Amino acid sequence: MVEDRRLDVLRAIVEDYVQTREPVGSRVLVERHRLGVSPATIRNDMAALEEGGYIAQPHTSAGRVPTDKGYRLFVDRLSTVKALSSPEKRAIQVFLDNAVDLDDVVDRSVRLLAQLTQQVAVVQYPSLRHSAMRHLELVMVGERRLLVVIITDTGRVEQRTLELAGPPTDVLIAELRTRLNAVALGRRLAQLVGALAVVPDTFAPDDRPLVRSVIAIIEETLAEEIEERIVLAGTANLARGGGADFTHSLSPVLEALEEQVVLLRLLTEMAEDSVGVAVRIGHETQHEGLLETSFVTTGYGGDGDVVARIGSIGPTRMDYPGTIASVRAVARYLSRMLAG
């Protein structure tokens, strides 16, 4: 019972501090929350929480603020996540339904999430490694130039141009297109290499060099790290309130956000943290520039398969239930669109 009561006190401190930005004192807790105990008991609970490292006293203020450890306990014990309103859900659906292609979907999603959370939003492009082939198109551009177009089930399109030794026949190009699609359709891209290896032997010896060249350019495309792309929006939101959520300045945070390799590392690690929503708080980001931020992410993808992640970055003093709900909702609609 004592543990539950102290958790209630911690929850009240987190909620008040998120809302007001002001350190929270025992008198405020008594006035604003029905904790069912005396002010003296609340002071004792706050002392115990401070001794445990869950709250701290900034400067000479009489109030207390949550620490990273306190936020972590708060997030881990969340029993409910703030539900989005019906207008918010409709706005998400309408906004994303009007997207015309994958680039537009990603761009709309990141801007929408930044608007919902009033924080920085990040969307990772669908990974080629976790996608399946929807279609492969071969188009002659001139007499000796072949355009190879790879289309995945996530709507991602990659194009490569191949210089040929001589002009192939229309029949050969049509037959190669048909056989490659028959082998590749619906396969995970990581599984394609073995399947494509047998295709050259199904053609006449004189045609095999062209077939091998096309397969080589497909494999090279799938092996590249071009899928490791992310899009950000809402960095200006961090300056809301004059950057009061950060001890010194916004510069370290903004510099960290510019390093895509840092965010990609975090996204990859957080995919291992949880199959659902993952939260890294303060020092858990393991990056000096992000020590005063928290990162909330979840996966998205069509047909229940995660192909990439979407998330929100803000100060540790964030509305965790609201941020988690927004990230989860946009990811859900994004997944529906990719599956559609």
Side-chain angles (χ1 to χ4, degrees):
M1 289 179 63
V2 173
E3 182 181 349
D4 289 343
R5 189 185 68 234
R6 287 175 180 170
L7 184 60
D8 288 339
V9 172
L10 175 63
R11 184 182 297 112
I13 292 172
V14 170
E15 291 173 352
D16 276 12
Y17 184 60
V18 166
Q19 184 177 5
T20 67
R21 270 203 192 99
E22 296 292 334
V24 183
S26 58
R27 183 175 8 171
V28 171
L29 292 179
V30 172
E31 293 173 351
R32 293 182 182 171
H33 302 272
R34 296 180 179 178
L35 296 172
V37 293
S38 68
T41 300
I42 291 177
R43 285 193 294 272
N44 289 336
D45 288 340
M46 291 178 70
L49 289 169
E50 186 171 8
E51 184 177 353
Y54 297 102
I55 59 176
Q57 184 178 23
H59 310 300
T60 57
S61 169
R64 302 295 186 273
V65 299
T67 62
D68 288 357
K69 185 178 180 181
Y71 284 125
R72 168 51 61 192
L73 181 59
F74 172 80
V75 170
D76 289 345
R77 296 296 183 90
L78 276 179
S79 57
T80 58
V81 173
K82 187 185 302 180
L84 296 187
S85 66
S86 295
E88 285 176 323
K89 292 178 181 178
R90 284 195 299 272
I92 293 174
Q93 183 170 1
V94 170
F95 191 63
L96 294 184
D97 280 349
N98 289 327
V100 296
D101 56 24
L102 179 62
D103 288 338
D104 196 19
V105 168
V106 170
D107 179 66
R108 284 171 177 263
S109 296
V110 75
R111 288 190 288 121
L112 176 62
L113 184 56
Q115 182 178 350
L116 287 172
T117 62
Q118 288 299 295
Q119 296 170 165
V120 177
V122 54
V123 177
Q124 182 182 22
Y125 263 79
S127 170
L128 286 175
R129 291 195 185 97
H130 297 102
S131 303
M133 186 77 80
R134 177 179 291 172
H135 185 68
L136 182 72
E137 189 58 57
L138 303 176
V139 181
M140 289 301 301
V141 184
E143 290 187 354
R144 299 190 177 187
R145 182 173 294 176
L146 179 66
L147 179 65
V148 181
V149 184
I150 299 170
I151 305 173
T152 72
D153 61 345
T154 60
R156 183 156 182 174
V157 179
E158 297 293 339
Q159 302 183 50
R160 295 293 182 273
T161 302
L162 181 63
E163 297 291 339
L164 307 178
T169 64
D170 292 341
V171 173
L172 174 58
I173 295 300
E175 184 65 22
L176 179 56
R177 181 193 301 115
T178 299
R179 294 188 190 183
L180 289 176
N181 275 299
V183 169
L185 182 64
R187 286 182 182 269
R188 290 286 171 202
L189 302 186
Q191 303 167 342
L192 273 178
V193 176
L196 292 174
V198 301
V199 175
D201 293 337
T202 65
F203 286 82
D206 291 345
D207 296 331
R208 289 174 188 172
L210 168 61
V211 176
R212 291 193 180 99
S213 295
V214 172
I215 291 176
I217 204 169
I218 293 172
E219 292 176 348
E220 289 170 9
T221 301
L222 303 184
E224 292 176 1
E225 294 296 327
I226 50 176
E227 70 269 30
E228 302 299 344
R229 283 196 291 159
I230 56 177
V231 179
L232 270 72
T235 52
N237 288 333
L238 293 182
R240 191 174 63 252
D245 286 311
F246 303 98
T247 304
H248 302 293
S249 72
L250 277 173
S251 296
V253 180
L254 298 178
E255 289 172 5
L257 293 178
E258 289 178 357
E259 297 180 38
Q260 290 210 356
V261 65
V262 171
L263 298 181
L264 286 167
R265 172 185 62 80
L266 274 169
L267 288 168
T268 300
E269 292 176 354
M270 293 175 75
E272 301 171 357
D273 289 349
S274 171
V275 294
V277 176
V279 182
R280 288 281 181 99
I281 299 170
H283 68 280
E284 295 174 353
T285 62
Q286 298 181 0
H287 190 282
E288 187 175 354
L290 299 176
L291 292 180
E292 295 183 283
T293 68
S294 290
F295 199 0
V296 178
T297 74
T298 192
Y300 72 88
D303 299 323
D305 294 323
V306 173
V307 297
R309 295 188 76 80
I310 181 173
S312 182
I313 303 171
T316 53
R317 188 201 65 83
M318 71 161 59
D319 174 12
Y320 290 95
T323 299
I324 290 171
S326 296
V327 169
R328 186 182 290 170
V330 176
R332 187 179 299 122
Y333 281 102
L334 190 50
S335 297
R336 289 179 187 172
M337 295 195 68
L338 294 182

